Amino acid sequence: MQSIEVPCPVCGLEIERSVAWIKSNGHFLCDGCGSVITLLRDRFLKDLQSADRLIAYSRAQAPRRLH
């Protein structure tokens, strides 16, 4: 399961959440200070798609190993 750390803009605590969780939630409470953290899900999903495309392109361009 892939996860990322989301920093709290108030206290700086890094909160780990799975990518699947972020895809289905728009906000959560900081485990440290209780502040509401609002996620920019549309931006996150767009960046995630870009990263997936770059990974796929890199794998396609990698030289094939000889066995």
Side-chain angles (χ1 to χ4, degrees):
M1 171 173 37
Q2 294 178 317
S3 63
I4 63 168
E5 291 184 350
V6 180
C8 174
V10 177
C11 72
L13 179 69
E14 299 273 331
I15 301 115
E16 187 172 337
R17 295 290 188 256
S18 72
V19 171
W21 188 92
I22 291 173
K23 284 181 178 180
S24 61
N25 292 278
H27 63 278
F28 62 98
L29 297 179
C30 173
D31 297 336
C33 68
S35 295
V36 175
I37 299 173
T38 302
L39 301 169
L40 302 174
R41 287 179 50 235
D42 292 340
R43 170 81 186 257
F44 172 77
L45 294 174
K46 184 184 246 182
D47 290 346
L48 186 61
Q49 288 175 338
S50 294
D52 286 341
R53 282 194 299 273
L54 285 172
I55 291 168
Y57 176 79
S58 295
R59 286 182 178 155
Q61 297 302 315
R64 304 263 186 235
R65 286 190 171 187
L66 297 176
H67 296 288

